[in-house]
Amino acid sequence: MKRTAALLLALATAPAAAGCSAALGAPESVTGADTLVIGVKPDQPGLGLRTGEGRFEGFDVDVALYVAEHLGVAEEDVEFKAVTSAQREDVLESGDVDLVFATYSITEERKSVVGFGGPYYVAHQDILVRADEEDVEGVRDLEGRTLCQGEGSNSADRVIEEKGIDARLHEEPAYGDCIAPLLDGEVDAVTTDDLILAGYLAQEPEGLRLVNAPFTDEQYGVGIALEDVAGCEEVNRALTLMYQDGTAEELLDRWFGETGLDLVTSVPQFVGCG
Amino acid sequence: MRLPGLRRLRPATTPGRLRRSAAASLAAVGLLFAAAAVGTAHAREGFAVIGHGAGAKVAASGDLYYALSDMDAQTANMLLVWQRSEEDADRAQRAYDARRDDAGRAVVQAAQLAEGDRAEERNVREVVRGLVAYQRLVTEARVLAEQDDDPDPPEEAVELYREATDLMRLELLPKAYNLTLDSGATVRATYEDKRASVLLWAGLTGGAGLLAVAALLWTHHEAAARFRRILNPAVAAAVVGALVLTAAAAGMLVLQAERMRQAKEEGLDPLLALSRVRAVCTGMNGDQSRFLLDREGADTYEQVYLQNARSLLYVEGDDLGDYYDGVDRAVGEYPKGDGMLGILGREAGELAEQGRSGEVDEVLRAYRAFTRADWELRRTAAEEGPGDAVEVRVGEVQSAYEEFDAAVVELKDTHGRNYEEAVRAGDRGLTGWDRGLPAAALALAVLVVVGIYPRLAEYR
């Protein structure tokens, strides 16, 4: 009888044990995390900018904190890490960071290596010129002018090659380095994502003008490990709420409200997880 | 040496041993019943969500997206051909009206299905509100276009349309799309959870069943051999009954898990992917009209077209020219060649892996024809002007689009049928178990009692 009882007991507890091993075998998800490491840009004013050791500010940073809170992780348990554009896939694949909010455009190639929640905003390629430049109203007006591009970017190539517009190319190490030559008249225009340009504009509101002639869609996604489908879906729920409760509008207004940029305050179309 | 514990395990008297074996049998049968009942409950909950609740939402919100997206495409067409050809204008008008009615129906259905989920309810409400505003803008644009005899619609009408299409593409469509994704997420989470549970409990049912058979055999030994009989018919019947019940219950649960997999992976997943393909392509068809209608935004619409095309079937390359070549090559090489990306590309890749590339051949060929027609459209617009391009738009491009859409719908319907069949089979597979399972367990218990009662009576 005792032996039978022991067998019956083993049988009764088997589901619990099996449940346990299933949980151990499953890939880690940000949905159950107590702390989060989030990758942001250190050098994009308005989006992700380092303000001190381990401290960052900007739209990306605030959106990241909102999502973290929805995932049940308080601000003090979020560690921000600076990532460059080239590092974004690597740090997600290695697990060094859990989420990336770093002007990370969703593309089909990237989607085969990492997962994407969102987009949380759809930025557009636009043009930044000197405030006294009145003849540039759209991308076609860049004909014959000099464009500045940050190294490793393809924004200006897009204008020159894809659109077949005959403009000259001037390269600087980063987009931030294009602003001084633009103000000096060494180059005529800088073209990249409008949110990035808006950040520079906010620093030099007197000397610069944003043309407001968007000609591409850049979906800013939340980078996440490819296997963490449940986490990606939860990020999307957080972003839906962020737009529904008015936080998105407030954040866009706080970071870009003064720049005159046309802001979309309605939830973007998500690309879907998994 | 004898352990004291062992003595208690082996009672000295024959009726004592018989009672203990019978009690163990009854307990094991109880466990078999419990395991099978829990497994059945998980299967039922799984099918309730995948087959009915969230699964139905995926389909309904997919329809909503398509209706909205096509409505906007038809508005652009209508304005484009309004003063050029009465016949084309009528056709566009009829298509617009039909889509508007579809959208109305789909939005009502989506509202019913969203009930109880606050974020989703709010999403649907905002779609309804936006739809009213959209229709008002379209009506105004149409009135303006009617008052003008020029083949090109007046600038004010185009401006109103720009406002309307921005509302549609930036606010309404994303919300409809996110509804589909959110329901899809619910299906995925339920599927993974429930399928694992059903399989786990199928295993436990098998284990409990074997335990019951062993206990019953022990009871049979105590009730027959100890009384110098070969057979105790009632207990023997219980042994056979327990074997049959175990095999049937565990088998049913494994089968339900498989049907759940079929409903999701061979039904709902491709169904969802193909409704997205259809919706994206309607959008592309709209971008072609917008490209001709709104010359100021033409660059943007061309870029958006390329972006949508890439999300549908991704091939490497810088611009539209590269894209046409890439699609031509990729479709020509399929099912060989590198894995294709994009919603349609991944779907085709998966079918190729399963050796079912034939199913998607037609869709891919129709897509290639559609991109070729698009090339012709843009060439005509550049070389002969937008007026001639409108002819290409309503002629060649339209028929290529319709053929592609029909091919997608056909494939989508195939998967829709797979899905419905799997769900129906799942529902059918569960009927009867509600009553059958407790009745069978009870019958086994009765057989045990009937089998041992006369033997115990001999000792009174």
Side-chain angles (χ1 to χ4, degrees):
Chain A
M1 187 72 185
K2 229 180 198 172
R3 208 161 30 186
T4 327
L7 260 172
L8 297 186
L9 189 72
L11 192 67
T13 51
C20 232
S21 64
L24 286 174
E28 245 177 77
S29 171
V30 294
T31 51
D34 300 320
T35 59
L36 285 173
V37 182
I38 297 180
V40 291
K41 281 281 182 78
D43 55 358
Q44 292 296 346
L47 288 155
L49 189 67
R50 200 199 307 261
T51 56
E53 193 52 47
R55 287 213 313 275
F56 296 85
E57 63 162 35
F59 179 67
D60 281 353
V61 176
D62 286 347
V63 174
L65 286 173
Y66 185 95
V67 171
E69 197 189 336
H70 179 87
L71 293 170
V73 179
E75 189 170 345
E76 56 269 24
D77 295 322
V78 175
E79 183 197 336
F80 285 106
K81 251 190 193 170
V83 294
T84 64
S85 295
Q87 290 169 336
R88 293 176 296 198
E89 281 93 53
D90 294 343
V91 292
L92 281 170
E93 280 185 287
S94 65
D96 287 346
V97 307
D98 300 304
L99 296 170
V100 167
F101 289 76
T103 64
Y104 202 3
S105 287
I106 303 174
T107 65
E108 283 301 322
E109 287 124 322
R110 287 176 182 159
K111 263 165 79 181
S112 46
V113 217
V114 297
F116 281 106
Y120 54 93
Y121 195 77
V122 180
H124 309 279
Q125 190 169 343
D126 211 319
I127 306 158
L128 190 67
V129 291
R130 278 180 301 278
D132 56 14
E133 169 74 79
E134 281 165 10
D135 297 333
V136 176
E137 288 306 323
V139 62
R140 300 265 160 211
D141 301 327
L142 295 175
E143 193 94 38
R145 292 174 199 264
T146 307
L147 305 182
C148 186
Q149 167 171 288
E151 245 170 71
S153 162
N154 64 347
S155 298
D157 298 332
R158 264 188 171 168
V159 172
I160 298 167
E161 280 159 32
E162 277 187 36
K163 299 239 172 272
I165 291 166
D166 185 20
R168 282 183 301 277
L169 185 64
H170 173 101
E171 278 207 312
E172 290 284 346
Y175 274 106
D177 306 318
C178 283
I179 303 305
L182 177 62
L183 288 167
D184 295 346
E186 201 183 321
V187 299
D188 300 311
V190 180
T191 171
T192 185
D193 301 356
D194 51 6
L195 289 191
I196 294 177
L197 295 177
Y200 297 130
L201 176 65
Q203 294 183 325
E204 283 286 342
E206 302 298 315
L208 298 171
R209 178 173 73 91
L210 192 64
V211 175
N212 238 331
F215 56 93
T216 67
D217 285 352
E218 304 296 333
Q219 302 170 304
Y220 282 0
V222 182
I224 188 167
L226 190 59
E227 313 78 48
D228 191 3
V229 178
C232 170
E233 288 165 355
E234 210 46 51
V235 166
N236 283 350
R237 293 202 180 97
L239 296 176
T240 301
L241 288 176
M242 183 179 82
Y243 276 90
Q244 287 191 346
D245 69 13
T247 307
E249 187 169 359
E250 200 184 300
L251 294 179
L252 284 166
D253 189 57
R254 180 188 310 162
W255 292 105
F256 307 108
E258 315 250 293
T259 58
L261 188 68
D262 285 334
L263 295 165
V264 177
T265 55
S266 172
V267 69
Q269 182 161 315
F270 297 151
V271 291
C273 303
Chain B
M1 203 182 111
R2 296 187 67 166
L3 293 166
L6 226 57
R7 243 172 53 176
R8 250 181 286 141
L9 252 173
R10 292 173 181 266
T13 64
T14 302
R17 280 200 295 264
L18 185 53
R19 261 189 232 110
R20 287 189 181 198
S21 67
S25 294
L26 291 180
V29 167
L31 273 184
L32 167 61
F33 164 72
V38 173
T40 314
H42 279 297
R44 207 179 293 281
E45 284 163 27
F47 275 105
V49 174
I50 298 166
H52 305 283
K57 271 192 209 175
V58 169
S61 52
D63 289 347
L64 175 63
Y65 186 99
Y66 172 75
L68 291 175
S69 180
D70 202 40
M71 221 171 118
D72 196 39
Q74 297 306 337
T75 308
N77 281 350
M78 213 156 61
L79 293 174
L80 201 56
V81 297
W82 200 259
Q83 302 296 355
R84 289 180 207 264
S85 145
E86 214 166 297
E87 193 193 327
D88 290 335
D90 273 354
R91 198 165 49 219
Q93 166 90 53
R94 274 198 305 279
Y96 173 82
D97 289 344
R99 280 308 160 260
R100 189 197 50 209
D101 294 348
D102 289 349
R105 263 195 302 277
V107 87
V108 169
Q109 202 183 2
Q112 284 166 346
L113 289 167
E115 223 167 277
D117 183 322
R118 273 176 53 201
E120 281 187 10
E121 276 181 8
R122 179 162 173 177
N123 227 337
V124 176
R125 249 198 328 272
E126 286 173 358
V127 171
V128 174
R129 209 175 307 144
L131 194 54
V132 173
Y134 177 84
Q135 280 172 287
R136 200 183 52 234
L137 287 167
V138 169
T139 311
E140 282 175 38
R142 223 157 67 178
V143 169
L144 278 177
E146 266 170 45
Q147 290 164 353
D148 192 279
D149 290 334
D150 197 298
D152 290 318
E155 189 50 37
E156 296 83 15
V158 174
E159 265 167 33
L160 280 169
Y161 174 68
R162 204 177 295 144
E163 210 180 309
T165 191
D166 280 351
L167 175 67
M168 181 63 89
R169 291 177 311 119
L170 297 180
E171 297 193 22
L172 301 189
L173 289 176
K175 285 183 183 122
Y177 196 74
N178 293 357
L179 274 177
T180 313
L181 289 181
D182 195 44
S183 308
T186 309
V187 168
R188 186 203 57 80
T190 310
Y191 165 74
E192 280 174 12
D193 177 29
K194 291 300 166 192
R195 184 163 175 274
S197 298
V198 169
L199 283 176
L200 171 69
W201 285 97
L204 292 176
T205 301
L210 290 182
L211 199 66
V213 170
L216 285 165
L217 282 173
W218 174 28
T219 308
H220 187 264
H221 175 74
E222 297 291 345
R226 300 245 178 219
F227 290 86
R228 301 188 189 290
R229 287 175 171 86
I230 295 171
L231 192 74
N232 180 315
V235 178
V239 171
V240 175
L243 265 177
V244 172
L245 180 61
T246 305
M252 177 272 290
L253 289 176
V254 171
L255 195 62
Q256 290 304 86
E258 170 60 14
R259 282 169 180 153
M260 220 180 265
R261 190 196 63 75
Q262 279 175 350
K264 161 122 190 332
E265 286 180 2
E266 289 166 25
L268 208 52
D269 284 353
L271 194 66
L272 182 58
L274 289 166
S275 355
R276 285 163 72 184
V277 167
R278 193 171 182 222
V280 169
C281 195
T282 329
M284 286 161 64
N285 193 225
D287 289 329
Q288 291 171 323
S289 294
R290 289 186 275 272
F291 168 76
L292 297 175
L293 179 67
D294 180 0
R295 296 311 292 171
E296 205 179 291
D299 275 331
T300 308
Y301 292 124
E302 187 174 279
Q303 182 68 29
V304 173
Y305 174 91
L306 177 60
Q307 217 147 4
N308 281 328
R310 281 175 174 160
S311 79
L312 210 132
L313 187 71
Y314 179 81
V315 292
E316 270 180 43
D318 287 335
D319 54 15
L320 257 177
D322 290 351
Y323 185 75
Y324 301 132
D325 295 341
V327 168
D328 204 44
R329 204 172 37 245
V331 173
E333 285 171 1
Y334 182 81
K336 294 193 194 73
D338 297 335
M340 288 190 270
L341 296 178
I343 316 167
L344 180 60
R346 285 172 211 267
E347 185 61 26
E350 265 170 43
L351 285 171
E353 263 173 40
Q354 300 166 17
R356 292 159 59 198
S357 59
E359 289 177 30
V360 77
D361 264 348
E362 184 67 36
V363 173
L364 289 176
R365 270 202 298 272
Y367 184 65
R368 180 171 57 186
F370 176 69
T371 56
R372 281 179 183 159
D374 184 70
W375 176 82
E376 180 62 27
L377 172 82
R378 299 195 198 260
R379 190 198 59 78
T380 313
E383 288 171 15
E384 288 152 50
D388 290 310
V390 173
E391 308 255 314
V392 180
R393 169 67 191 80
V394 296
E396 216 173 313
V397 169
Q398 188 59 26
S399 53
Y401 165 72
E402 281 168 12
E403 266 169 48
F404 175 69
D405 190 54
V408 172
V409 168
E410 199 186 317
L411 185 58
K412 183 171 155 272
D413 287 348
T414 312
H415 290 292
R417 277 194 297 277
N418 289 349
Y419 167 65
E420 280 166 20
E421 266 165 36
V423 170
R424 262 204 304 279
D427 288 344
R428 231 184 1 250
L430 284 169
T431 49
W433 283 92
D434 265 351
R435 290 186 191 164
L437 187 60
L442 196 67
L444 292 180
V446 169
L447 283 174
V448 171
V449 173
V450 167
I452 66 159
Y453 194 74
R455 300 289 81 78
L456 288 175
E458 290 176 25
Y459 281 84
R460 286 207 183 115

